[in-house]
Amino acid sequence: DAAAFSPRDTAEDVVFGGRMWLSNGYYHGHILTRDLWWSVDGALWTKVLDNTPYDGYSEMTVFDGKMWAVKGSVWNSTDGVHWTRVLEKTPFGVRGYGETLVHGGKIWQLGSGKDVWNTTDGVHWACVCREAPYGERSAGAVVSYAGKLWVMGGTMKVPNIPPEKGYKGNTTFNDVWCSTDGAQWTRVVEHAPWTPRQWFIAKEYAGEIWIVGGYDNVNSANLGDVWRTKDGRTWQAFVSEPVFSPRHEPTLYVFDNSLWVVAGNSWPVKNDVWRLTLPATGR
């Protein structure tokens, strides 16, 4: 119910060395917490650093036997304690609510803006797409699944008609896009059955894409629903009891044959930890 780390949202996840790592986080009042924690069971958490050297809110991933932190600069580490800066300034600059992930043997940066970038070493980045057809959006869900990159939902700074109740200058989406190469994109479905949303997370678990929570900007409300799909087109709601409170910007892990939902913003922010393990016959 209350982990050792402070309540937060927008904390970054990475699974490395048989551990779940939790990096940084937001607290009310735009307070950035720069710490780094790890756990093997979700209950006991160990603090590694009070003040991480990489950029705040850096996106985290695992590549080439190292943990990577990518934002305005690029850092990596083999132990989470000692970090090396390998690139002082990324060509795409500081992005908010995007995603760094590994796909096809490369590190990718996408989901914040309409451009798509990748690298094989963290130093030399290539822009493989300047203007993706899903447009200038952010705060969607991004995942690598079935040999493709997927971008889902999110928001654009364009007023909707009628205006959405939350951030009135924004329009949120519930569409699904995919690409095998990051350059050519296909819209799989324009309106998925889940509510248009931003600040939600996607992971591959048990052979499917799962999305969790988010923020319903149309009604200015947090979401606590969970959906899964095998093809991005046909979605099934996953209902369980008990379940975590509605929240946006949770931290998700796939670890130890389970899907984990950690922290997030339920107004207020939380520091709870939830675990879902599907039986083998239920997958």
Side-chain angles (χ1 to χ4, degrees):
D1 184 58
F5 56 83
S6 59
R8 64 191 62 196
D9 70 30
T10 322
E12 289 298 321
D13 69 284
V14 67
V15 173
F16 179 76
R19 298 169 174 177
M20 295 181 289
W21 297 73
L22 182 88
S23 172
N24 292 188
Y26 163 94
Y27 188 76
H28 304 292
H30 299 286
I31 298 171
L32 167 63
T33 302
R34 295 292 299 268
D35 52 7
L36 179 66
W37 299 73
W38 64 259
S39 176
V40 295
D41 62 4
L44 179 63
W45 291 83
T46 300
K47 185 189 290 186
V48 179
L49 293 172
D50 274 312
N51 190 18
T52 51
Y54 46 79
D55 302 319
Y57 301 120
S58 283
E59 301 290 332
M60 310 293 288
T61 194
V62 173
F63 181 74
D64 192 28
K66 304 179 185 74
M67 284 189 287
W68 294 74
V70 178
K71 199 72 169 179
S73 57
V74 180
W75 298 69
N76 65 33
S77 173
T78 57
D79 61 7
V81 178
H82 305 95
W83 289 84
T84 300
R85 186 172 63 188
V86 298
L87 183 63
E88 185 173 357
K89 187 176 181 180
T90 57
F92 43 81
V94 176
R95 299 292 180 91
Y97 302 115
E99 193 66 49
T100 296
L101 73 168
V102 171
H103 169 77
K106 300 177 181 179
I107 301 175
W108 295 73
Q109 168 67 34
L110 73 163
S112 181
K114 53 190 176 182
D115 49 351
V116 179
W117 297 77
N118 67 29
T119 181
T120 57
D121 60 9
V123 178
H124 304 94
W125 290 82
C127 183
V128 299
C129 183
R130 292 286 178 187
E131 296 191 9
Y134 50 75
E136 189 83 29
R137 74 174 69 189
S138 66
V142 181
V143 70
S144 174
Y145 170 76
K148 300 175 182 177
L149 290 163
W150 299 76
V151 174
M152 296 164 281
T155 186
M156 292 180 66
K157 292 187 179 300
V158 178
N160 204 351
I161 301 174
E164 299 183 3
K165 184 177 178 181
Y167 296 88
K168 296 186 180 348
N170 289 20
T171 296
T172 46
F173 299 88
N174 60 346
D175 52 355
V176 177
W177 296 78
C178 72
S179 172
T180 57
D181 60 5
Q184 304 296 320
W185 289 85
T186 299
R187 187 169 62 189
V188 178
V189 61
E190 185 175 4
H191 297 291
W194 35 269
T195 302
R197 65 193 63 200
Q198 62 190 64
W199 297 330
F200 66 114
I201 312 296
K203 292 289 183 182
E204 178 183 354
Y205 172 59
E208 297 178 289
I209 297 174
W210 292 63
I211 64 168
V212 174
Y215 176 69
D216 173 3
N217 194 57
V218 173
N219 298 295
S220 187
N222 283 324
L223 296 164
D225 51 350
V226 177
W227 294 79
R228 58 181 178 170
T229 181
K230 292 183 183 297
D231 60 8
R233 181 180 301 276
T234 302
W235 291 81
Q236 178 183 1
F238 183 83
V239 179
S240 65
E241 185 63 39
V243 70
F244 49 86
S245 59
R247 64 190 61 194
H248 65 263
E249 283 292 343
T251 304
L252 268 63
Y253 303 86
V254 176
F255 177 73
D256 195 21
N257 298 315
S258 302
L259 180 66
W260 302 70
V261 175
V262 178
N265 197 332
S266 281
W267 288 316
V269 290
K270 309 283 283 185
N271 60 344
D272 53 354
V273 179
W274 295 78
R275 177 177 184 173
L276 169 71
T277 306
L278 292 185
T281 55
R283 296 187 181 184

